Amino acid sequence: MKKIIWLTTIILGATLALFGVNIFLEHTENVGTKNNGHQELTIYNWGDYIDPDLLKKFQKETGYKVDYETFDSNEAMFTKIQQGGTHYDLAVPSDYMIQKMKAANLLLPLDHKKLTGLGNYDKKFMNQAFDKGNKYSVPYFWGTLGIVYNDKYIKPGEIKTWNDLWQPKYKKSIMLIDSSRDIMGMALASSGQSVNTKSIPELAAAKGKLDTLMPNVKAIVADEIKTYMAQEEATLAVDYSGDAAEMISENKHLHYVVPSDGGNLWFDNIVMPKTVKNKKAAYAFLNFMSKPANAKQNAIYVGYATPNKKAVQQLPKAIKNNPSWYPDNKTLSKLEVYEDLGPNWVGKYNDYFLEFKMTNR
Amino acid sequence: MNRKRTLTYTIPYILWLGLFVIAPVILLIIQSFGNLNGHFTFGNYVTYFSSGTYLRMTFNSIFFAFIVTAITLLISYPMAYIMSRLKHAQFWLLLVILPTWVNLLLKAYAFIGLFSKTGTINEFLSLIGFAPHQMMFTNMSFLVVAAYIEIPFMIMPIFNSLVELDKSYINAARDLGATQWQTLVKVVFPMSMGGVKAGIQAVFIPTLSLFMITRLIGGNRVITLGTAIEEHFLVTQNWGMGSTIGVILIVAMILTMMITRDRKKKGGKHGR
């Protein structure tokens, strides 16, 4: 008994001490910025999705203290903003989620008069179906869904389209990202259909086509796909361009191809959720991020493609002329942005995907 | 102890049960009768029992859980038996329990390091002249990792029941002329059944709904009900269907408990 009491006291003591240190650290950190009238900006973004130096620069330029919080899925972010109790000034959802948040009245329209940098963005990436006229959002990054291959095992140029994956010689060598929309979308695009189809026969056919891919599939995994590809566990992978950039930075033998027969074009845009508290700071940040120099710095750090036209011009040639990250207009024109299909259709996509996963090899 | 005091002592326990066991189960059951728009429906159950996908998944889950339980039992019983005979039994038990203090995810990643194409095992194999084997994403690798993770939960109750076993029974059996093997099979094993049953419960049920390992190690080539629940809650946000599978797992749990129920008074302690 005495031992237990002792142990409890020690644990409690340690917790209290850590708590104290935490308060102390927060206090000392705030001393510099508190004088500026307690101005905070809370950003809700994906993990590791901004150059931390930019946050410091923003803090210095404007005096607003940035509180950067992260999420790891659109759905988690949606739930947290919907349930309230949070005070996010800005958030960075993906395309279909913006549509969904709009429908759920979670977004505030942006005052375009207060946005100074809108002209810097490429027209191609503005005025998308999920947010006509960019009433609610400003593009942050964009990317594609494509194929990663390892040049030790697969010759460059061997893979050009989705259908190339179906060749029998790639038996048990492909890794798929565990996401129903993306994999169903891949099958749909390979047959020339829309990735947003609402037709049961088309979906059933796509699932049937996927079943015939199963002998080539080695695994269906989530985020681990990056580690596995970097370790050369598989020679091919279907994944997003962003993940591909991370893999390639770890293993130089990997390359990324945007298939020429269509697929998905995705966006992560900055929005102002209704939980906003400091609108002035939010607009200041939107304008700060649309400055070409800042957007360029961010694009180099994160490795995704920036929609900021002037920033692209400033990027090194090796990046901006690389069709993997900045595909030409012809390829781009074939790509489609996901629409929010509503829970019933998302459910159907998911059911078909689950069925596909159950297919015996 | 008088009655009133017993009552005050049970209040925290009742509160705990009510808040963290009964209320969630009731919520789960209510959810399972809701469709995507939140209206009342039996549809989820109809879908479950009429779709080949879910039935096959159920069969897969039960099948894999059964094999994992069998493997752990085969390894755990002799191990617990030997351990209970050793001098520093508690120390050996500690060594068995120790890995359970390590986060599941870390253990899974450690296995990736062992099994992967460039992993330790393959490096050793190529060192002694064998071609590297594909070990990740196979049924075998999934079974090995799942069994490894569940073994402590099987050993603990068996060990406890073996330690509690009265030595005089063994001595009596030996005195009456039973061989060592006969003593083990006819005396020790039946008397430690309580621990075995508790171990089976502690392994079979969690294995039914394992989901992270199925993806990390099995590469989603092994699909269990846990995978489906994860997907319904996180991706489709079809909480009704997810809850339905949850309810079915609870029913499966109750069935397992009933089958392995301890009919005698004496029994082993639960591992978790």
Side-chain angles (χ1 to χ4, degrees):
Chain A
M1 197 61 197
K2 231 179 181 172
K3 247 188 186 167
I4 294 176
I5 292 173
W6 257 109
L7 259 174
T8 323
T9 329
I10 290 171
I11 292 171
L12 274 178
T15 323
L16 268 178
L18 285 173
F19 188 66
V21 170
N22 189 27
I23 287 180
F24 174 75
L25 282 177
E26 263 179 22
H27 186 75
T28 46
E29 236 174 64
N30 283 349
V31 167
T33 38
K34 250 194 185 140
N35 307 332
N36 305 334
H38 215 86
Q39 291 279 36
E40 271 204 15
L41 172 71
T42 313
I43 301 171
Y44 198 31
N45 199 350
W46 301 81
D48 201 23
Y49 205 31
I50 194 166
D51 185 349
D53 289 341
L54 278 175
L55 292 181
K56 274 187 211 138
K57 193 175 160 196
F58 175 72
Q59 228 150 294
K60 228 186 220 166
E61 262 180 35
T62 60
Y64 296 115
K65 183 185 176 296
V66 177
D67 187 7
Y68 186 78
E69 288 186 36
T70 62
F71 55 85
D72 53 17
S73 86
N74 276 307
E75 282 67 24
M77 179 227 39
F78 180 85
T79 317
K80 219 163 167 195
I81 286 178
Q82 192 182 34
Q83 281 173 348
T86 50
H87 50 273
Y88 303 120
D89 296 312
L90 291 171
V92 190
S94 307
D95 33 54
Y96 72 98
M97 189 45 78
I98 293 173
Q99 207 178 346
K100 196 173 162 184
M101 290 174 87
K102 210 164 63 181
N105 287 319
L106 293 181
L107 299 182
L108 293 183
L110 296 173
D111 186 352
H112 282 209
K113 277 182 223 137
K114 287 182 185 158
L115 295 173
T116 54
L118 271 187
N120 295 342
Y121 291 101
D122 196 328
K123 290 251 159 30
K124 281 189 291 198
F125 306 123
M126 302 288 278
N127 196 22
Q128 294 287 332
F130 60 84
D131 182 20
K132 280 275 173 217
N134 285 72
K135 223 174 134 193
Y136 295 92
S137 72
V138 174
Y140 183 63
F141 277 119
W142 64 275
T144 51
L145 179 75
I147 303 168
V148 181
Y149 69 87
N150 189 321
D151 65 14
K152 274 196 205 164
Y153 309 92
I154 287 164
K155 273 180 249 128
E158 222 181 289
I159 296 272
K160 282 192 185 119
T161 65
W162 291 118
N163 285 307
D164 290 335
L165 292 176
W166 268 263
Q167 295 172 54
K169 65 175 171 185
Y170 299 138
K171 195 170 179 339
K172 273 200 178 179
S173 43
I174 306 170
M175 270 196 203
L176 302 178
I177 189 85
D178 187 10
S179 147
S180 52
R181 272 311 279 280
D182 293 318
I183 299 307
M184 289 300 290
M186 167 189 98
L188 287 164
S190 74
S191 316
Q193 266 126 6
S194 163
V195 297
N196 293 314
T197 186
K198 285 190 178 181
S199 141
I200 290 286
E202 278 181 23
L203 280 175
K207 189 250 162 195
K209 191 169 179 187
L210 276 181
D211 286 348
T212 60
L213 181 67
M214 206 40 141
N216 286 0
V217 176
K218 181 169 232 175
I220 303 165
V221 284
D223 257 354
E224 318 80 66
I225 199 167
K226 290 181 267 185
T227 329
Y228 285 139
M229 284 308 287
Q231 289 176 355
E232 308 192 350
E233 191 67 34
T235 52
L236 286 159
V238 174
D239 202 354
Y240 323 105
S241 53
D243 279 0
E246 275 178 57
M247 293 174 200
I248 292 169
S249 70
E250 276 178 49
N251 188 334
K252 295 282 171 254
H253 289 288
L254 298 175
H255 303 272
Y256 179 74
V257 184
V258 184
S260 59
D261 44 357
N264 169 237
L265 173 70
W266 54 259
F267 287 93
D268 286 334
N269 283 19
I270 314 184
V271 298
M272 195 186 283
K274 65 161 196 207
T275 53
V276 61
K277 259 198 172 160
N278 194 345
K279 279 194 187 176
K280 231 175 137 186
Y283 281 111
F285 187 78
L286 284 170
N287 292 332
F288 175 82
M289 285 316 289
S290 58
K291 281 186 189 154
N294 296 337
K296 173 203 150 201
Q297 188 183 337
N298 206 24
I300 289 179
Y301 176 86
V302 178
Y304 287 30
T306 175
N308 195 312
K309 204 176 186 177
K310 290 190 178 152
V312 175
Q313 284 161 5
Q314 294 181 15
L315 280 172
K317 267 194 183 130
I319 300 179
K320 70 177 172 195
N321 293 338
N322 187 335
S324 303
W325 316 122
Y326 293 94
D328 54 32
N329 286 335
K330 197 180 148 220
T331 314
L332 267 183
S333 66
K334 284 196 180 159
L335 302 180
E336 279 178 287
V337 181
Y338 291 143
E339 286 163 27
D340 178 28
L341 300 173
N344 281 321
W345 280 98
V346 173
K348 289 205 172 80
Y349 272 73
N350 206 53
D351 286 347
Y352 275 117
F353 185 58
L354 208 58
E355 241 176 81
F356 156 66
K357 284 208 265 184
M358 293 289 301
T359 315
N360 291 325
R361 32 189 112 178
Chain B
M1 220 191 284
N2 64 44
R3 252 192 159 172
K4 216 175 154 194
R5 256 177 94 185
T6 324
L7 206 71
T8 33
Y9 281 137
T10 49
I11 283 177
Y13 182 62
I14 290 170
L15 270 178
W16 178 274
L17 269 183
L19 274 175
F20 299 118
V21 179
I22 297 168
V25 169
I26 291 175
L27 280 177
L28 194 74
I29 294 174
I30 293 174
Q31 282 272 9
S32 74
F33 287 108
N35 64 9
L36 280 167
N37 309 315
H39 297 303
F40 180 85
T41 174
F42 285 107
N44 295 327
Y45 288 92
V46 174
T47 317
Y48 187 95
F49 287 107
S50 62
S51 111
T53 320
Y54 288 117
L55 291 180
R56 225 158 358 114
M57 207 182 299
T58 316
F59 173 77
N60 266 356
S61 302
I62 295 175
F63 179 70
F64 277 109
F66 174 77
I67 295 185
V68 169
T69 314
I71 296 174
T72 44
L73 184 60
L74 271 177
I75 298 174
S76 300
Y77 198 91
M79 208 162 147
Y81 184 76
I82 294 165
M83 272 167 52
S84 68
R85 244 114 264 263
L86 290 174
K87 215 175 172 188
H88 303 287
Q90 290 303 327
F91 168 74
W92 296 110
L93 186 67
L94 184 76
L95 285 188
V96 169
I97 297 172
L98 217 63
T100 62
W101 297 354
V102 177
N103 187 299
L104 187 65
L105 200 63
L106 285 179
K107 285 189 274 191
Y109 272 95
F111 271 106
I112 295 175
L114 282 177
F115 286 160
S116 69
K117 235 180 187 171
T118 51
T120 320
I121 294 178
N122 269 328
E123 253 163 34
F124 176 73
L125 278 181
S126 50
L127 198 75
I128 56 174
F130 287 101
H133 265 271
Q134 174 64 39
M135 272 174 286
M136 291 296 294
F137 318 124
T138 57
N139 288 345
M140 213 43 224
S141 61
F142 170 74
L143 288 176
V144 169
V145 176
Y148 164 80
I149 283 162
E150 299 294 348
I151 275 178
F153 302 107
M154 183 67 94
I155 289 187
M156 277 189 279
I158 298 179
F159 175 83
N160 280 331
S161 67
L162 285 172
V163 165
E164 276 167 21
L165 204 145
D166 197 337
K167 291 275 181 308
S168 46
Y169 287 108
I170 299 166
N171 292 336
R174 300 284 288 151
D175 284 348
L176 293 170
T179 63
Q180 206 144 20
W181 177 247
Q182 279 172 323
T183 320
L184 180 67
V185 175
K186 296 254 164 90
V187 180
V188 178
F189 190 70
M191 289 186 73
S192 61
M193 262 325 262
V196 173
K197 282 174 177 175
I200 290 175
Q201 288 170 5
V203 170
F204 186 75
I205 295 155
T207 315
L208 268 184
S209 56
L210 266 184
F211 66 93
M212 211 182 52
I213 310 265
T214 55
R215 198 186 69 210
L216 272 173
I217 305 286
N220 266 326
R221 306 306 304 265
V222 177
I223 304 267
T224 61
L225 289 173
T227 324
I229 296 183
E230 187 199 13
E231 226 159 79
H232 279 305
F233 274 89
L234 295 182
V235 187
T236 345
Q237 300 204 298
N238 185 352
W239 289 30
M241 196 65 217
S243 306
T244 304
I245 305 173
V247 169
I248 285 164
L249 275 176
I250 292 179
V251 173
M253 181 179 88
I254 294 170
L255 280 176
T256 325
M257 297 285 244
M258 272 164 66
I259 293 166
T260 55
R261 192 174 45 188
D262 211 3
R263 288 189 187 81
K264 277 171 275 168
K265 233 168 67 193
K266 227 182 138 190
K269 285 171 193 147
H270 274 265
R272 35 174 125 165

